[in-house]
Amino acid sequence: MELTEYKKQHELAVIEQKLAPLVKRKDRAWIEVYRLLDIVEEEELYSVSYHSYTAWLTDFARRTHVTVSLLWKKKKAGRFYDSYVAERQYQEKSYVPLDELSMDPEIIVMIEKITAGNLTEAHKMIDRSLNGEMKRSDLKTLWESEKRERAKKGMPIMRANAYDKDTFAELSYAGYAAKNATSLDILTALCNEKWMAGLYADGKEGKYRLLTEFSILNGNLDTDYLVIENYTDVRKHFFSLHSIRIICEREELQKELHLKAYPTYMDYYWLAVPIEYSELAYTLIEKHDTIGLILYDENTHTAMIDTPAVSGSGYGSRRSDTMDSVVYYLL
């Protein structure tokens, strides 16, 4: 065995010894796992006994009794966060060093999947997560919605595996590279209750949850998005129920509006559109004096109320069916 190969074999053994007690831990040890896994790949330490990095990782996972996907997730999260740090350094902006990060690797990986490889938008999501503006539940909501959108478009939902290059026909699939806002952009803004700030009632301990493509009564009635919150004046109920329809295509805004969830099951009904389509939206809802309008500003990445929704006559009369469906959804 050549000296170089001997050194690699020795270094690999040392790294494996360090990795073994760390891989099952659920704390910040994942960062050290990423660093060590990265060394094995970058220095090609696996090459002495294995034909590929994947082959070594698979065998190491078997020997340490963990799943390969667990190791890939930690490596992938670390590599992606390093790209975020590099961009922040280039822009001379502040950032949390990886070694001081308290974010779960699952969150980082989920952000990468949601944004389909678009680093600029992914880094915005990381910023929002670090600032406490986006929770794990928000990201799960976004990912579930994005998976459905990709399925409708006939696009791959996942990468070929957890480490290979993207198999998407175009990395801008999610719409981030497009000039106009996408449903995912608007949905991201709606994950935060700030859009309804002007409606807040005083003295409330805020609860807010957004559910995607929500079905009522075993799927007989559907709504794009359901918001459950207690920020607004809920009167005799503990929570207000909002049905939100997002439309981003000009052609859709030129058609007649059909309510996807009957108002009797909700307290409020909203239409959400990119701000540049506001005039089309006014025309669309002019026959519905109870429907509210939410406008999304792509420059500030925020959603704001243009026209408040009104709880009209008969609205919410069957809301108990909706709440039963919410309980079933969350079980």
Side-chain angles (χ1 to χ4, degrees), residues 80-102:
F80 198 68
Y81 192 81
D82 271 347
S83 75
Y84 163 81
V85 170
E87 181 177 299
R88 300 291 287 188
Q89 290 174 333
Y90 176 77
Q91 296 176 344
E92 298 183 348
K93 294 181 179 179
S94 61
Y95 61 89
V96 178
L98 179 59
D99 291 332
E100 299 175 14
L101 186 67
S102 59

Side-chain angles (χ1 to χ4, degrees), residues 299-315:
N299 293 322
T300 59
H301 307 287
T302 56
M304 51 195 168
I305 293 176
D306 177 87
T307 305
V310 177
S311 189
S313 176
Y315 269 62

Side-chain angles (χ1 to χ4, degrees), residues 50-320:
Y50 301 88
H51 67 275
S52 69
Y53 179 75
T54 301
W56 167 75
L57 196 68
T58 301
D59 185 57
F60 178 71
R62 178 188 59 80
R63 287 184 279 121
T64 51
H65 306 290
V66 297
T67 62
V68 179
S69 62
L70 177 68
L71 299 179
W72 278 127
K73 180 186 296 182
K74 294 178 179 182
K75 187 177 189 305
K76 191 176 180 183
R79 180 69 63 87
F80 198 68
Y81 192 81
D82 271 347
S83 75
Y84 163 81
V85 170
E87 181 177 299
R88 300 291 287 188
Q89 290 174 333
Y90 176 77
Q91 296 176 344
E92 298 183 348
K93 294 181 179 179
S94 61
Y95 61 89
V96 178
L98 179 59
D99 291 332
E100 299 175 14
L101 186 67
S102 59
M103 186 180 291
D104 191 298
E106 181 183 354
I107 290 178
I108 301 173
V109 172
M110 200 180 307
I111 288 174
E112 183 184 19
K113 290 190 296 186
I114 291 169
T115 54
N118 187 296
L119 292 179
T120 300
E121 293 302 323
H123 293 168
K124 290 177 184 176
M125 282 194 181
I126 289 177
D127 288 341
R128 294 185 66 182
S129 296
L130 289 173
N131 293 333
E133 298 176 8
M134 184 168 284
K135 303 183 289 293
R136 183 192 296 265
S137 59
D138 298 331
L139 291 170
K140 287 183 177 180
T141 295
L142 292 174
W143 178 228
E144 288 302 315
S145 180
E146 182 64 12
K147 283 194 294 184
R148 293 187 182 101
E149 287 299 314
R150 292 180 191 176
K152 291 177 182 177
K153 300 282 187 178
M155 302 296 292
I157 291 176
M158 300 288 290
R159 295 168 183 254
N161 60 47
Y163 187 70
D164 289 345
K165 294 181 179 179
D166 288 277
T167 57
F168 301 134
E170 52 178 314
L171 291 180
S172 61
Y173 160 69
Y176 291 114
K179 292 182 179 180
N180 295 328
T182 66
S183 295
L184 188 59
D185 290 324
I186 299 177
L187 181 58
T188 301
L190 293 177
C191 276
N192 192 299
E193 67 274 8
K194 289 182 179 179
W195 67 271
M196 58 169 58
L199 305 177
Y200 287 1
D202 295 332
K204 293 290 183 183
E205 181 181 352
K207 300 289 184 180
Y208 182 95
R209 182 69 181 271
L210 186 147
L211 305 177
T212 65
E213 296 194 10
F214 183 76
S215 294
I216 306 169
L217 301 178
N218 299 320
N220 293 330
L221 297 173
D222 294 322
T223 180
D224 283 353
Y225 306 103
L226 170 69
V227 166
I228 312 161
E229 53 79 24
N230 70 339
Y231 281 91
T232 61
D233 184 4
V234 294
R235 296 168 293 184
K236 62 181 179 180
H237 304 297
F238 288 111
F239 294 96
S240 289
L241 305 177
H242 304 255
S243 178
I244 301 178
R245 173 86 178 275
I246 296 177
I247 301 180
C248 293
E249 294 75 27
R250 178 183 293 273
E251 294 76 14
E252 286 296 312
L253 286 167
Q254 293 173 332
K255 299 177 182 178
E256 184 179 351
L257 181 62
H258 296 285
L259 303 187
K260 295 186 68 178
Y262 298 148
T264 53
Y265 293 92
M266 301 289 170
D267 297 312
Y268 301 96
Y269 199 94
W270 300 84
L271 177 66
V273 304
I275 195 169
E276 60 266 29
Y277 291 157
S278 57
E279 292 300 324
L280 286 172
Y282 296 147
T283 302
L284 189 61
I285 67 174
E286 62 181 357
K287 297 179 182 178
H288 307 275
D289 56 4
T290 58
I291 296 179
L293 179 61
I294 301 168
L295 299 180
Y296 173 78
D297 188 338
E298 191 172 13
N299 293 322
T300 59
H301 307 287
T302 56
M304 51 195 168
I305 293 176
D306 177 87
T307 305
V310 177
S311 189
S313 176
Y315 269 62
S317 59
R318 300 187 61 180
R319 68 193 313 281
S320 60

